[in-house]
Amino acid sequence: MYHIISIRDFERRELDYMLDKAEEFDGRACDPRALEGKLLALLFFEPSTRTRMSFEAAMARLGGRSISMDNVEASSVVKGETLADTIRVVSGYVDAIVLRHPKEGAARMASEFSGVPVINAGDGAGQHPSQTLLDLYTIRQSMPIDGIDLGLLGDLRYGRTAHSLAYALSLYGAKLHVIAPNGLELPAGIVSELDERGMEVVEYEDVNDIIREIDVLYVTRIQRERFPDTASYFKVASSYRITPDLLADVRQHLIILHPLPRAGEIDPGVDRLPYARYFEQSRNGVPVRMALLHEVIR
Ligand code: NCD
């Protein structure tokens, strides 16, 4: 059994293995009864559309079933049950748990109390490893990941998808170009860890300064729910937006990714340009999560 908690725990060959496996499932070369009789629990203490539904779809496509705690307010959490107890109980019902929680470190803690594999589907501003696998998968569909120049734009302070992706890319010799509004820069601790991993990280004030020199632009939403108050959110809201005009003279093979949901950072006019890959990216959540579930559920 193994837990999927952080991209930091992965070696390059393990990531490649999961991507290859996802590719097999994408080609439908899979047994639709591979996980027959297996049960997955979805514990989402934060909103989700893609992550949750694609895990459910992935489980169903492999012949397994999912159960979920639909409404945290209707569960014993409101009676003061700790996450540790909830996990101990639920792990007695199922073969694996997918957990999304607002507290950084929650998934790691849960894995210590669980008798079955725990997959981190987002722990606060921490990590979101299954998202990273589908991000890498989407990049690999267009170009080899090795040595790419990737622009990471948006809320790099609270954005867990950005954190996970940055760590993964450090295993591929990629160069990171970071563009964040004031106060939402990549945390210094992450920058130094990336540096130790031999990754070059360069900061820019404006996406326009780098957009013509990158292969991938990864756009993220400002994580409004992590802000201490609405005034500080509105100070940075709408501070960047990708428009068709901005994309004049970019590299021909540029791809634009976004974990979604978007909240105004990408003009809908960009959707019909050949660079836009964010809807394919979200679709890729299914084969990637099939591969993950197939791997961890025994
Ligand atoms: C992301 C998340 O929850 O971190 N969503 C997702 O899983 N695709 C990104 C976000 O909410 O901005």
Side-chain angles (χ1 to χ4, degrees), residues 10 26 40 82 93 153 155 172 194 201 207-209 218 222 224 227 237 255 261 266 276:
F10 279 82
D26 215 356
L40 178 70
T82 61
Y93 302 156
L153 168 67
D155 183 348
Y172 290 87
L194 294 172
V201 182
V207 63
N208 211 7
D209 298 338
Y218 192 93
I222 295 187
R224 182 178 186 164
F227 279 64
I255 61 167
I266 300 183

PDB file of all heavy atoms in Angstrom, residues 10 26 40 82 93 153 155 172 194 201 207-209 218 222 224 227 237 255 261 266 276:
ATOM      1  N   PHE A  10       7.942  11.742  -4.679  1.00  0.00           N
ATOM      2  CA  PHE A  10       8.116  10.996  -5.925  1.00  0.00           C
ATOM      3  C   PHE A  10       9.514  11.156  -6.507  1.00  0.00           C
ATOM      4  O   PHE A  10      10.101  12.232  -6.455  1.00  0.00           O
ATOM      5  CB  PHE A  10       7.140  11.503  -6.995  1.00  0.00           C
ATOM      6  CG  PHE A  10       5.749  10.964  -6.874  1.00  0.00           C
ATOM      7  CD1 PHE A  10       4.843  11.530  -5.985  1.00  0.00           C
ATOM      8  CD2 PHE A  10       5.338   9.899  -7.664  1.00  0.00           C
ATOM      9  CE1 PHE A  10       3.550  11.045  -5.883  1.00  0.00           C
ATOM     10  CE2 PHE A  10       4.048   9.412  -7.560  1.00  0.00           C
ATOM     11  CZ  PHE A  10       3.142   9.977  -6.668  1.00  0.00           C
ATOM     12  N   ASP A  26      -5.762   5.783 -21.214  1.00  0.00           N
ATOM     13  CA  ASP A  26      -6.337   6.739 -22.151  1.00  0.00           C
ATOM     14  C   ASP A  26      -6.694   6.039 -23.454  1.00  0.00           C
ATOM     15  O   ASP A  26      -7.686   6.352 -24.085  1.00  0.00           O
ATOM     16  CB  ASP A  26      -5.299   7.845 -22.425  1.00  0.00           C
ATOM     17  CG  ASP A  26      -5.958   9.190 -22.631  1.00  0.00           C
ATOM     18  OD1 ASP A  26      -7.198   9.246 -22.637  1.00  0.00           O
ATOM     19  OD2 ASP A  26      -5.226  10.188 -22.790  1.00  0.00           O
ATOM     20  N   LEU A  40     -14.176   3.207  -2.989  1.00  0.00           N
ATOM     21  CA  LEU A  40     -13.374   4.414  -2.754  1.00  0.00           C
ATOM     22  C   LEU A  40     -14.200   5.406  -1.945  1.00  0.00           C
ATOM     23  O   LEU A  40     -15.377   5.619  -2.251  1.00  0.00           O
ATOM     24  CB  LEU A  40     -13.004   5.037  -4.114  1.00  0.00           C
ATOM     25  CG  LEU A  40     -12.211   6.345  -4.097  1.00  0.00           C
ATOM     26  CD1 LEU A  40     -10.776   6.096  -3.607  1.00  0.00           C
ATOM     27  CD2 LEU A  40     -12.164   6.967  -5.502  1.00  0.00           C
ATOM     28  N   THR A  82     -12.719  14.463  15.388  1.00  0.00           N
ATOM     29  CA  THR A  82     -11.451  14.883  14.795  1.00  0.00           C
ATOM     30  C   THR A  82     -11.277  14.212  13.433  1.00  0.00           C
ATOM     31  O   THR A  82     -11.883  13.165  13.167  1.00  0.00           O
ATOM     32  CB  THR A  82     -10.258  14.446  15.674  1.00  0.00           C
ATOM     33  OG1 THR A  82     -10.272  13.013  15.761  1.00  0.00           O
ATOM     34  CG2 THR A  82     -10.332  15.056  17.051  1.00  0.00           C
ATOM     35  N   TYR A  93     -14.182   1.100   6.134  1.00  0.00           N
ATOM     36  CA  TYR A  93     -15.290   0.814   5.206  1.00  0.00           C
ATOM     37  C   TYR A  93     -14.838   0.591   3.763  1.00  0.00           C
ATOM     38  O   TYR A  93     -15.581   0.061   2.962  1.00  0.00           O
ATOM     39  CB  TYR A  93     -16.272   1.997   5.157  1.00  0.00           C
ATOM     40  CG  TYR A  93     -16.911   2.409   6.462  1.00  0.00           C
ATOM     41  CD1 TYR A  93     -17.395   3.707   6.625  1.00  0.00           C
ATOM     42  CD2 TYR A  93     -17.072   1.510   7.514  1.00  0.00           C
ATOM     43  CE1 TYR A  93     -18.005   4.107   7.797  1.00  0.00           C
ATOM     44  CE2 TYR A  93     -17.680   1.916   8.690  1.00  0.00           C
ATOM     45  CZ  TYR A  93     -18.145   3.211   8.838  1.00  0.00           C
ATOM     46  OH  TYR A  93     -18.749   3.618   9.993  1.00  0.00           O
ATOM     47  N   LEU A 153       2.023  31.595 -13.464  1.00  0.00           N
ATOM     48  CA  LEU A 153       1.401  32.909 -13.256  1.00  0.00           C
ATOM     49  C   LEU A 153       0.256  32.832 -12.267  1.00  0.00           C
ATOM     50  O   LEU A 153      -0.604  31.956 -12.364  1.00  0.00           O
ATOM     51  CB  LEU A 153       0.873  33.423 -14.618  1.00  0.00           C
ATOM     52  CG  LEU A 153      -0.051  34.648 -14.596  1.00  0.00           C
ATOM     53  CD1 LEU A 153       0.702  35.904 -14.138  1.00  0.00           C
ATOM     54  CD2 LEU A 153      -0.650  34.889 -15.985  1.00  0.00           C
ATOM     55  N   ASP A 155      -1.453  33.173  -8.241  1.00  0.00           N
ATOM     56  CA  ASP A 155      -1.307  33.115  -6.792  1.00  0.00           C
ATOM     57  C   ASP A 155      -0.343  31.993  -6.414  1.00  0.00           C
ATOM     58  O   ASP A 155      -0.744  30.853  -6.186  1.00  0.00           O
ATOM     59  CB  ASP A 155      -2.691  32.867  -6.177  1.00  0.00           C
ATOM     60  CG  ASP A 155      -2.655  32.863  -4.659  1.00  0.00           C
ATOM     61  OD1 ASP A 155      -1.542  32.829  -4.088  1.00  0.00           O
ATOM     62  OD2 ASP A 155      -3.736  32.880  -4.052  1.00  0.00           O
ATOM     63  N   TYR A 172      12.685  17.419 -14.002  1.00  0.00           N
ATOM     64  CA  TYR A 172      12.773  17.351 -15.468  1.00  0.00           C
ATOM     65  C   TYR A 172      13.700  18.429 -16.036  1.00  0.00           C
ATOM     66  O   TYR A 172      13.632  18.733 -17.223  1.00  0.00           O
ATOM     67  CB  TYR A 172      11.373  17.487 -16.080  1.00  0.00           C
ATOM     68  CG  TYR A 172      10.500  16.269 -15.836  1.00  0.00           C
ATOM     69  CD1 TYR A 172       9.740  16.153 -14.673  1.00  0.00           C
ATOM     70  CD2 TYR A 172      10.450  15.229 -16.761  1.00  0.00           C
ATOM     71  CE1 TYR A 172       8.943  15.039 -14.438  1.00  0.00           C
ATOM     72  CE2 TYR A 172       9.655  14.115 -16.536  1.00  0.00           C
ATOM     73  CZ  TYR A 172       8.905  14.018 -15.372  1.00  0.00           C
ATOM     74  OH  TYR A 172       8.120  12.908 -15.152  1.00  0.00           O
ATOM     75  N   LEU A 194      13.646  24.397  -4.244  1.00  0.00           N
ATOM     76  CA  LEU A 194      13.787  24.189  -5.692  1.00  0.00           C
ATOM     77  C   LEU A 194      15.227  24.437  -6.111  1.00  0.00           C
ATOM     78  O   LEU A 194      15.785  23.727  -6.947  1.00  0.00           O
ATOM     79  CB  LEU A 194      12.831  25.098  -6.472  1.00  0.00           C
ATOM     80  CG  LEU A 194      11.336  24.812  -6.282  1.00  0.00           C
ATOM     81  CD1 LEU A 194      10.479  25.892  -6.955  1.00  0.00           C
ATOM     82  CD2 LEU A 194      10.965  23.432  -6.838  1.00  0.00           C
ATOM     83  N   VAL A 201      14.939  29.412 -10.940  1.00  0.00           N
ATOM     84  CA  VAL A 201      13.654  30.106 -10.787  1.00  0.00           C
ATOM     85  C   VAL A 201      13.907  31.596 -11.003  1.00  0.00           C
ATOM     86  O   VAL A 201      14.720  32.204 -10.311  1.00  0.00           O
ATOM     87  CB  VAL A 201      13.068  29.885  -9.367  1.00  0.00           C
ATOM     88  CG1 VAL A 201      11.711  30.579  -9.233  1.00  0.00           C
ATOM     89  CG2 VAL A 201      12.936  28.393  -9.048  1.00  0.00           C
ATOM     90  N   VAL A 207       3.728  39.406 -16.938  1.00  0.00           N
ATOM     91  CA  VAL A 207       3.762  38.228 -17.810  1.00  0.00           C
ATOM     92  C   VAL A 207       4.216  38.601 -19.228  1.00  0.00           C
ATOM     93  O   VAL A 207       4.824  37.805 -19.943  1.00  0.00           O
ATOM     94  CB  VAL A 207       2.394  37.496 -17.796  1.00  0.00           C
ATOM     95  CG1 VAL A 207       1.271  38.354 -18.348  1.00  0.00           C
ATOM     96  CG2 VAL A 207       2.467  36.156 -18.519  1.00  0.00           C
ATOM     97  N   ASN A 208       3.950  39.845 -19.598  1.00  0.00           N
ATOM     98  CA  ASN A 208       4.340  40.341 -20.910  1.00  0.00           C
ATOM     99  C   ASN A 208       5.858  40.309 -21.119  1.00  0.00           C
ATOM    100  O   ASN A 208       6.335  40.216 -22.252  1.00  0.00           O
ATOM    101  CB  ASN A 208       3.834  41.788 -21.029  1.00  0.00           C
ATOM    102  CG  ASN A 208       3.500  42.139 -22.459  1.00  0.00           C
ATOM    103  OD1 ASN A 208       3.513  41.278 -23.352  1.00  0.00           O
ATOM    104  ND2 ASN A 208       3.234  43.395 -22.694  1.00  0.00           N
ATOM    105  N   ASP A 209       6.612  40.364 -20.023  1.00  0.00           N
ATOM    106  CA  ASP A 209       8.073  40.370 -20.124  1.00  0.00           C
ATOM    107  C   ASP A 209       8.646  39.006 -20.498  1.00  0.00           C
ATOM    108  O   ASP A 209       9.819  38.900 -20.825  1.00  0.00           O
ATOM    109  CB  ASP A 209       8.703  40.797 -18.780  1.00  0.00           C
ATOM    110  CG  ASP A 209       8.283  42.200 -18.402  1.00  0.00           C
ATOM    111  OD1 ASP A 209       7.893  42.962 -19.315  1.00  0.00           O
ATOM    112  OD2 ASP A 209       8.322  42.524 -17.199  1.00  0.00           O
ATOM    113  N   TYR A 218       1.360  28.401 -17.312  1.00  0.00           N
ATOM    114  CA  TYR A 218       0.452  27.765 -16.347  1.00  0.00           C
ATOM    115  C   TYR A 218      -0.192  28.876 -15.519  1.00  0.00           C
ATOM    116  O   TYR A 218       0.466  29.538 -14.720  1.00  0.00           O
ATOM    117  CB  TYR A 218       1.241  26.805 -15.457  1.00  0.00           C
ATOM    118  CG  TYR A 218       0.377  25.876 -14.626  1.00  0.00           C
ATOM    119  CD1 TYR A 218       0.031  24.608 -15.100  1.00  0.00           C
ATOM    120  CD2 TYR A 218      -0.091  26.250 -13.365  1.00  0.00           C
ATOM    121  CE1 TYR A 218      -0.752  23.742 -14.339  1.00  0.00           C
ATOM    122  CE2 TYR A 218      -0.880  25.386 -12.609  1.00  0.00           C
ATOM    123  CZ  TYR A 218      -1.202  24.132 -13.107  1.00  0.00           C
ATOM    124  OH  TYR A 218      -1.984  23.276 -12.348  1.00  0.00           O
ATOM    125  N   ILE A 222      -6.513  33.363  -8.210  1.00  0.00           N
ATOM    126  CA  ILE A 222      -6.185  33.849  -6.861  1.00  0.00           C
ATOM    127  C   ILE A 222      -7.054  33.074  -5.872  1.00  0.00           C
ATOM    128  O   ILE A 222      -8.272  32.984  -6.037  1.00  0.00           O
ATOM    129  CB  ILE A 222      -6.384  35.373  -6.760  1.00  0.00           C
ATOM    130  CG1 ILE A 222      -5.356  36.038  -7.686  1.00  0.00           C
ATOM    131  CG2 ILE A 222      -6.217  35.843  -5.314  1.00  0.00           C
ATOM    132  CD1 ILE A 222      -5.268  37.517  -7.616  1.00  0.00           C
ATOM    133  N   ARG A 224      -8.887  32.970  -3.287  1.00  0.00           N
ATOM    134  CA  ARG A 224      -9.627  33.911  -2.440  1.00  0.00           C
ATOM    135  C   ARG A 224      -9.934  33.345  -1.046  1.00  0.00           C
ATOM    136  O   ARG A 224      -9.864  34.044  -0.039  1.00  0.00           O
ATOM    137  CB  ARG A 224     -10.941  34.252  -3.159  1.00  0.00           C
ATOM    138  CG  ARG A 224     -11.778  35.240  -2.435  1.00  0.00           C
ATOM    139  CD  ARG A 224     -13.032  35.549  -3.224  1.00  0.00           C
ATOM    140  NE  ARG A 224     -13.758  36.610  -2.561  1.00  0.00           N
ATOM    141  CZ  ARG A 224     -14.706  37.312  -3.133  1.00  0.00           C
ATOM    142  NH1 ARG A 224     -15.035  37.081  -4.381  1.00  0.00           N
ATOM    143  NH2 ARG A 224     -15.328  38.250  -2.460  1.00  0.00           N
ATOM    144  N   PHE A 227      -7.458  33.961   1.837  1.00  0.00           N
ATOM    145  CA  PHE A 227      -7.116  35.312   2.286  1.00  0.00           C
ATOM    146  C   PHE A 227      -7.720  35.600   3.653  1.00  0.00           C
ATOM    147  O   PHE A 227      -8.838  35.186   3.935  1.00  0.00           O
ATOM    148  CB  PHE A 227      -7.618  36.351   1.265  1.00  0.00           C
ATOM    149  CG  PHE A 227      -6.705  36.511   0.091  1.00  0.00           C
ATOM    150  CD1 PHE A 227      -6.498  35.461  -0.784  1.00  0.00           C
ATOM    151  CD2 PHE A 227      -6.037  37.702  -0.129  1.00  0.00           C
ATOM    152  CE1 PHE A 227      -5.644  35.591  -1.863  1.00  0.00           C
ATOM    153  CE2 PHE A 227      -5.184  37.849  -1.206  1.00  0.00           C
ATOM    154  CZ  PHE A 227      -4.989  36.790  -2.073  1.00  0.00           C
ATOM    155  N   ALA A 237      -7.110  41.251  -6.731  1.00  0.00           N
ATOM    156  CA  ALA A 237      -8.049  40.659  -7.699  1.00  0.00           C
ATOM    157  C   ALA A 237      -7.932  41.384  -9.029  1.00  0.00           C
ATOM    158  O   ALA A 237      -7.644  42.583  -9.066  1.00  0.00           O
ATOM    159  CB  ALA A 237      -9.467  40.751  -7.150  1.00  0.00           C
ATOM    160  N   ILE A 255       1.731  26.230 -25.051  1.00  0.00           N
ATOM    161  CA  ILE A 255       0.439  25.745 -24.570  1.00  0.00           C
ATOM    162  C   ILE A 255       0.098  26.473 -23.269  1.00  0.00           C
ATOM    163  O   ILE A 255       0.969  26.788 -22.467  1.00  0.00           O
ATOM    164  CB  ILE A 255       0.378  24.200 -24.386  1.00  0.00           C
ATOM    165  CG1 ILE A 255       1.399  23.699 -23.363  1.00  0.00           C
ATOM    166  CG2 ILE A 255       0.548  23.480 -25.711  1.00  0.00           C
ATOM    167  CD1 ILE A 255       1.154  22.250 -22.939  1.00  0.00           C
ATOM    168  N   PRO A 261     -11.015  25.936 -11.374  1.00  0.00           N
ATOM    169  CA  PRO A 261     -11.829  26.907 -12.097  1.00  0.00           C
ATOM    170  C   PRO A 261     -11.084  28.225 -12.359  1.00  0.00           C
ATOM    171  O   PRO A 261     -10.219  28.601 -11.587  1.00  0.00           O
ATOM    172  CB  PRO A 261     -12.988  27.147 -11.116  1.00  0.00           C
ATOM    173  CG  PRO A 261     -12.393  26.934  -9.766  1.00  0.00           C
ATOM    174  CD  PRO A 261     -11.393  25.830  -9.949  1.00  0.00           C
ATOM    175  N   ILE A 266      -8.291  34.173 -17.547  1.00  0.00           N
ATOM    176  CA  ILE A 266      -8.119  33.872 -18.972  1.00  0.00           C
ATOM    177  C   ILE A 266      -9.377  34.326 -19.690  1.00  0.00           C
ATOM    178  O   ILE A 266     -10.485  33.842 -19.413  1.00  0.00           O
ATOM    179  CB  ILE A 266      -7.891  32.360 -19.220  1.00  0.00           C
ATOM    180  CG1 ILE A 266      -6.636  31.878 -18.480  1.00  0.00           C
ATOM    181  CG2 ILE A 266      -7.756  32.085 -20.722  1.00  0.00           C
ATOM    182  CD1 ILE A 266      -6.296  30.413 -18.732  1.00  0.00           C
ATOM    183  N   ALA A 276      -4.724  27.131 -26.225  1.00  0.00           N
ATOM    184  CA  ALA A 276      -5.553  26.784 -25.062  1.00  0.00           C
ATOM    185  C   ALA A 276      -5.666  25.278 -24.890  1.00  0.00           C
ATOM    186  O   ALA A 276      -6.158  24.574 -25.777  1.00  0.00           O
ATOM    187  CB  ALA A 276      -6.950  27.385 -25.233  1.00  0.00           C
TER     188      ALA A 276
END
